[in-house]
C-alpha cells in the first residue's frame, strides 16, 4: 500500500504532522510513502505574516509541539516560498536520496534555525544530510529542471484532491483532509491508517 503525503515546508502544522507520521510508520511495515508537496503560497502571491505571539492558533500549536519535543521559532521574514525546496525534493527523489532526512532538515531550517529556504546554499546543506549529489542538486535548482513537475504537484494536491489544508493523506481512494488552522491530530492519522489497512486486507 502507498500513502500519499500532502505537505508544505512553510506549514507549521506539517512540521508537527510529518514528525508524528515518522514515529507512526514503523508500525505499518507494508506501507510505502509517496511525498506530494504542494505550495501554500505560490509566487507572486504574498506570504502572509500572522505570527503574532498572542495568536490563539500559535499558542495552541506551540503546546502540541512542546508535547513531542519540537521547538518552534518565528520563521525567516518577510517569509519563505517553498518552490525551490520542493524542486530540491524532486531532484533528491530521482537520486534515490533519503527524503525523510531532507524533509527533517528543511523543517529544521525553517522552524528552528530561521533560515531562508530560498537560498540554494541553505538547501544544499539539507541535501548533504540526505546523502544527495550536491553539485547535481544545485544545478537542478539553478536551471529550474523540476519546476514543471512542482506545478503539477500543486495542481494534483489543491485541484485534483480538493485539499482544504495540509498535512493531508491519501491511501487508495480514501482521503484524510486536514482542517485549516488545526491540521490533524495523531489519533486521527492512526484511525485512518488502521481503517484503510483493514479494508484493504478484506478485499
Amino acid at each position: 500500500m502507498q500513502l500519499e503525503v500532502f505537505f508544505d515546508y512553510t506549514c507549521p502544522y506539517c512540521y508537527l504532522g510529518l514528525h508524528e507520521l515518522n514515529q507512526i510508520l514503523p508500525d505499518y511495515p507494508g506501507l510505502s510513502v509517496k511525498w506530494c508537496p504542494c505550495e501554500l503560497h505560490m509566487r507572486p502571491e504574498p506570504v502572509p505574516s500572522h505570527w503574532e505571539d498572542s495568536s490563539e492558533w500559535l499558542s495552541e500549536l506551540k503546546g502540541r509541539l512542546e508535547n513531542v519535543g519540537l521547538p518552534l521559532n518565528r520563521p525567516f521574514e518577510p517569509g519563505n516560498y517553498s518552490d525551490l525546496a520542493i524542486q530540491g525534493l524532486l531532484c533528491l527523489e530521482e537520486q534515490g536520496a533519503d527524503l525523510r532526512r531532507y524533509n527533517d532538515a528543511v523543517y529544521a531550517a525553517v522552524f528552528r534555525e530561521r533560515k531562508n529556504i530560498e537560498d540554494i546554499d541553505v538547501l544544499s546543506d539539507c541535501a548533504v544530510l540526505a546523502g544527495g549529489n550536491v553539485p547535481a542538486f544545485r544545478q537542478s535548482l539553478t536551471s529550474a529542471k523540476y519546476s514543471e513537475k512542482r506545478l503539477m504537484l500543486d495542481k494534483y494536491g489543491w485541484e485534483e484532491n480538493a485539499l482544504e489544508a495540509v498535512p493531508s493523506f491519501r491511501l487508495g481512494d480514501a482521503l484524510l483532509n486536514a482542517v485549516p488552522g488545526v491540521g490533524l491530530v495523531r489519533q486521527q492519522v492512526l484511525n485512518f491508517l488502521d481503517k484503510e489497512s483493514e479494508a484493504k486486507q478484506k478485499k
Side-chain angles (χ1 to χ4, degrees):
M1 294 186 298
Q2 184 177 76
L3 178 70
E4 293 181 320
V5 180
F6 301 96
F7 68 100
D8 184 65
Y9 291 116
T10 63
C11 169
Y13 293 98
C14 298
Y15 171 47
L16 171 62
L18 267 65
H19 172 81
E20 292 185 327
L21 177 65
N22 287 335
Q23 293 181 324
I24 290 169
L25 285 174
D27 294 330
Y28 299 86
L31 197 64
S32 64
V33 173
K34 174 65 177 176
W35 303 106
C36 299
C38 43
E39 298 170 86
L40 284 171
H41 307 289
M42 305 172 201
R43 301 176 195 271
E45 176 187 339
V47 177
S49 178
H50 53 272
W51 282 79
E52 296 82 5
D53 290 337
S54 60
S55 297
E56 184 176 340
W57 75 268
L58 185 55
S59 298
E60 189 269 342
L61 180 59
K62 277 186 173 180
R64 291 168 63 186
L65 288 163
E66 287 172 0
N67 287 339
V68 297
L70 288 180
L72 178 68
N73 294 314
R74 184 188 298 264
F76 175 85
E77 294 179 341
N80 288 313
Y81 290 97
S82 56
D83 50 355
L84 279 180
I86 291 171
Q87 291 179 64
L89 175 77
L90 297 174
C91 175
L92 293 172
E93 182 178 41
E94 195 169 280
Q95 292 181 9
D98 190 330
L99 301 186
R100 288 190 201 176
R101 293 189 69 180
Y102 177 74
N103 289 341
D104 287 346
V106 176
Y107 279 117
V110 175
F111 294 113
R112 299 186 195 186
E113 301 158 8
R114 304 191 72 237
K115 291 182 177 179
N116 180 7
I117 59 167
E118 296 176 46
D119 186 330
I120 291 179
D121 289 337
V122 171
L123 294 177
S124 296
D125 290 340
C126 298
V128 169
L129 295 174
N133 178 329
V134 175
F137 176 88
R138 294 178 68 92
Q139 195 280 329
S140 76
L141 296 187
T142 56
S143 67
K145 177 180 178 180
Y146 297 93
S147 180
E148 185 174 346
K149 188 173 182 181
R150 169 186 59 82
L151 292 173
M152 291 172 62
L153 284 168
D154 285 336
K155 182 178 180 180
Y156 179 64
W158 300 118
E159 295 181 25
E160 295 180 32
N161 282 278
L163 299 181
E164 297 178 11
V166 285
S168 292
F169 303 96
R170 174 173 287 284
L171 193 57
D173 295 329
L175 178 68
L176 179 62
N177 212 332
V179 177
V182 177
L184 295 169
V185 298
R186 183 188 184 109
Q187 193 59 49
Q188 281 180 286
V189 179
L190 288 168
N191 292 345
F192 174 74
L193 294 179
D194 288 341
K195 178 182 176 182
E196 297 308 318
S197 297
E198 184 178 343
K200 294 288 184 183
Q201 290 172 3
K202 288 181 178 179
K203 289 183 179 180

